[in-house]
Amino acid sequence: MDFKSLIDTEKLPAHVAVIMDGNGRWAKNQGLKRVMGHKNGVKAVRDTVEGAAEIGVKYLTLYAFSTENWKRPKYEVDALMRLLISSLRDELPTLMKNDIRLKAIGNLEILPEKGRKQLQEVMQKTEGNKHMTLVLALSYGAKDELTQATKKVAELVLEGKLMPKDIGPDTLENHLYTSGMPDVELLIRTSGEHRISNFLLWQIAYAELYFTPILWPDFRRANLFEAIYDYQHRERRFGKTSEQLKS
Ligand code: FPP
């Protein structure tokens, strides 16, 4: 089915986030090394990013590397870092052509220097792009994010700049990596796993969750369009009743 033509572009999710999972299994199924799964995952990243920009999604966040991923074998971590650097370099023209701004969230300080520099360069060069914001979650963990935001709020209290009674959801939100971005409205996870894996715990409070058995390297824009079509046929109640929404 051509889901793209069925999408209501007036009702797109403001922010789509994706847990790209299944690279290792994809490679194994082909009799290849895990790293080949990641390499082929880059093609899926490119197609998904272009597809999201094509229909007018404003924010797309991709979970590229978690705080837990540092525990993988060194050769796999090194290969992922190299892949990230080469992809950032190679994709710059595509980002410019599609008017896409790149941002990154996570504990970026612990990324290898070369990766951090490449990231900074692409973020700087795409800073003025307006059509879509692509957010890479790198060395990202939601528990880490919430912990560091809490520490910053505690410091403000200690310095007498903030009273505990004045702390609200916005206070914490202002100190998250995603400050200023809309909440996630659609979260997609590939590979048939039904987990959140420490991803954007605060920001997905009211997100619609979409799980697909497709392994990430096989994911294409048509699959994104199907997920968005599915999202548009959900009833988002935000705690209200169905009748309240209809009246
Ligand atoms: C999960 O599959 C995927 C990752 C940990 C890395 C995702 C990275 C890419 C798609 C490539 C580079 C990304 C960018 C943004 C250029 P897995 O290895 O956990 O798969 P498995 O569960 O089948 O083992």
Side-chain angles (χ1 to χ4, degrees):
M1 204 166 2
D2 172 20
F3 287 101
K4 188 186 167 199
S5 63
L6 301 173
I7 288 175
D8 180 348
T9 49
E10 298 293 313
K11 291 184 183 148
L12 290 171
H15 188 165
V16 177
V18 187
I19 302 177
M20 311 182 286
D21 196 13
N23 291 354
R25 276 162 284 165
W26 183 91
K28 198 174 171 200
N29 291 346
Q30 321 269 327
L32 301 168
K33 295 226 164 78
R34 293 181 54 82
V35 170
M36 287 309 290
H38 299 317
K39 276 198 176 153
N40 281 277
V42 175
K43 292 180 199 160
V45 168
R46 185 180 306 128
D47 206 65
T48 304
V49 169
E50 286 194 324
E54 185 183 313
I55 55 163
V57 168
K58 284 292 164 201
Y59 285 84
L60 174 68
T61 298
L62 303 178
Y63 204 3
F65 196 87
S66 72
T67 45
E68 290 74 23
N69 285 152
W70 290 112
K71 295 180 203 144
R72 290 195 176 193
K74 188 176 178 314
Y75 72 86
E76 185 170 340
V77 171
D78 289 349
L80 271 167
M81 290 299 144
R82 276 198 303 274
L83 197 57
L84 185 76
I85 295 168
S86 59
S87 306
L88 283 168
R89 194 188 52 227
D90 297 348
E91 298 309 321
L92 180 62
T94 313
L95 296 178
M96 296 310 290
K97 188 184 87 194
N98 291 288
D99 195 18
I100 299 169
R101 171 175 67 150
L102 183 79
K103 287 208 144 219
I105 57 171
N107 186 2
L108 307 177
E109 276 143 50
I110 62 170
L111 289 175
E113 165 135 19
K114 213 170 160 195
R116 233 176 27 239
K117 278 198 175 147
Q118 187 68 61
L119 195 61
Q120 287 299 345
E121 188 187 323
V122 179
M123 287 198 290
Q124 243 166 33
K125 287 191 170 147
T126 60
E127 210 173 9
N129 291 352
K130 296 267 181 303
H131 183 61
M132 184 176 93
T133 301
L134 168 64
V135 186
L136 290 186
L138 286 167
S139 189
Y140 174 87
K143 286 192 175 184
D144 257 17
E145 179 182 36
L146 289 164
T147 307
Q148 65 86 24
T150 309
K151 277 187 195 159
K152 284 188 187 152
V153 172
E155 276 161 21
L156 291 176
V157 172
L158 206 62
E159 290 163 10
K161 292 179 182 155
L162 182 68
M163 295 294 283
K165 69 172 175 51
D166 295 327
I167 297 173
D170 288 356
T171 322
L172 213 68
E173 214 155 87
N174 289 340
H175 293 90
L176 297 178
Y177 297 129
T178 52
S179 167
M181 298 181 197
D183 270 351
V184 174
E185 294 196 300
L186 171 63
L187 173 69
I188 300 171
R189 181 171 190 145
T190 60
S191 92
E193 305 290 352
H194 299 118
R195 279 192 295 278
I196 303 300
S197 300
N198 201 15
F199 191 40
L200 302 173
L201 294 180
W202 177 284
Q203 299 86 340
I204 60 164
Y206 273 103
E208 294 297 324
L209 309 182
Y210 182 88
F211 299 103
T212 168
I214 297 170
L215 301 176
W216 178 252
D218 289 331
F219 195 87
R220 289 294 177 272
R221 70 186 78 190
N223 306 113
L224 172 73
F225 298 153
E226 183 172 1
I228 292 176
Y229 174 80
D230 188 274
Y231 161 89
Q232 291 187 333
H233 289 81
R234 306 250 183 119
E235 187 182 57
R236 305 191 73 211
R237 291 207 293 270
F238 300 99
K240 294 183 181 170
T241 67
S242 200
E243 289 67 34
Q244 281 178 303
L245 290 177
K246 278 168 196 144
S247 68

